[in-house]
Amino acid sequence: MEQRREKIIILESDASARAQLTQSLGETGYDVQAVTTLAEGMELARQSGDLLLLDAGACSPTAQEVIASVHGSEATEGIRIILLVGPTVAERTSALDIGADDAISRPWDPSELVARVRAQLHV
C-alpha cells in the first residue's frame, strides 16, 4: 500500500525563490506545487493541501486576511501556514502574531526550511 505524500503549496511571487523552494522541498519527498496567485493557492488548499508556504509580501489581501480565511474555513482549517518574511525579528514576530504557524526569514537556509516544514507537518 502506497503512503500518501504530504502536499505543500508554495505561493511565492519571485520566480527564482519559487524554484529554490520547490527544489528544496521536492527533494525531500513532499508533493510540492508552486503557484503565483492567491486564487490558485487557495483552490489547491481546498482540494488537498497540508501546508501553505506563503510569501507575506505577495499577499493581497493581507497575509492576516489570508491566514484568517484558511484557518476559518472548515475545508482548510487543518492546513499549516508558514510565512516567508523579511530578515527582522519584528517581521517574524508579526507573522506569528497574525496567526501564522511559523515564519522564516529571507534569505532562508534550505535545511532550516525543510526542518521547519517537517515540524509543522508533524504537529
Side-chain angles (χ1 to χ4, degrees):
M1 180 164 87
E2 189 175 321
Q3 186 177 6
R4 176 176 120 28
R5 294 186 314 157
E6 292 159 312
K7 186 174 193 173
I8 299 171
I9 301 159
I10 298 171
L11 176 55
E12 167 61 64
S13 58
D14 179 80
S16 175
R18 194 169 51 250
Q20 289 174 343
L21 291 165
T22 301
Q23 180 180 357
S24 294
L25 294 168
E27 289 174 350
T28 61
Y30 293 113
D31 177 5
V32 180
Q33 291 193 276
V35 297
T36 57
T37 70
L38 182 57
E40 290 173 302
M42 293 303 287
E43 182 57 32
L44 285 173
R46 279 189 286 279
Q47 292 173 10
S48 65
D50 295 302
L51 185 137
L52 179 60
L53 193 57
L54 182 62
D55 173 6
C59 290
S60 182
T62 67
Q64 183 173 8
E65 292 169 318
V66 172
I67 292 167
S69 176
V70 170
H71 287 166
S73 168
E74 189 175 321
T76 56
E77 67 187 354
I79 294 176
R80 309 298 292 174
I81 300 173
I82 298 177
L83 282 185
L84 298 170
V85 298
T88 68
V89 170
E91 289 169 292
R92 290 189 305 275
T93 302
S94 176
L96 296 172
D97 285 344
I98 64 171
D101 297 299
D102 198 358
I104 190 164
S105 292
R106 297 172 191 274
W108 60 83
D109 175 82
S111 60
E112 180 185 7
L113 173 73
V114 170
R116 287 176 179 266
V117 166
R118 191 171 38 250
Q120 288 302 316
L121 290 172
H122 298 286
V123 168

